[in-house]
Amino acid sequence: QVQLVESGGGLVQAGGSLRLSCAPSRDIAVIRGMGWYRQTPGNSREWVASVVSGGATNYADSVKGRFTIRRDNADNNMYLQMNSLKPEDTGVYYCTVVYRNRDYWGQGTQVTVSS
């Protein structure tokens, strides 16, 4: 099993930045796929970004050019750097990983962007 601890959410004004962190309970080097989802008010959970063990990344069109995902083997964390935040980015952000063909989810961290 893998436990995930997220941090870094908060309240920020539109145009501002936040960095989310996700710390897995296992060595990040053995985790194949990692990513972030979010659930915005009134909507279902949606994929935001993902990164695989080789470092390749993918982004939803809505965040491309503004968000950056990366995994850091040295400090065993995954990060989501969010810049140029918009009110529509408001929601609960969830870290997720794939380990031994199973999905694991964090508890979520709230991001609120005021206009």
Side-chain angles (χ1 to χ4, degrees):
Q1 289 198 351
V2 182
Q3 283 77 48
L4 302 170
V5 177
E6 298 146 338
S7 60
L11 173 64
V12 65
Q13 287 187 333
S17 298
L18 284 174
R19 188 180 77 162
L20 306 183
S21 301
C22 174
S25 59
R26 290 191 176 269
D27 185 349
I28 200 171
V30 303
I31 297 174
R32 179 166 55 92
M34 307 184 74
W36 292 92
Y37 280 69
R38 69 185 180 188
Q39 186 157 13
T40 56
N43 296 305
S44 57
R45 196 173 294 189
E46 64 176 358
W47 169 72
V48 174
S50 58
V51 57
V52 296
S53 54
T57 58
N58 279 289
Y59 299 91
D61 287 344
S62 59
V63 307
K64 202 171 293 183
R66 300 187 297 122
F67 291 11
T68 302
I69 188 173
R70 69 178 181 91
R71 49 192 293 164
D72 190 326
N73 287 10
D75 67 8
N76 214 58
N77 263 275
M78 176 181 65
Y79 300 99
L80 184 68
Q81 178 67 43
M82 306 185 293
N83 298 328
S84 301
L85 282 161
K86 305 175 181 180
E88 52 263 44
D89 295 317
T90 294
V92 180
Y93 284 69
Y94 297 90
C95 165
T96 181
V97 304
V98 177
Y99 176 70
R100 291 187 177 180
N101 295 319
R102 286 187 60 184
D103 294 340
Y104 295 90
W105 294 83
Q107 79 284 358
T109 184
Q110 176 70 43
V111 171
T112 302
V113 184
S114 64
S115 57

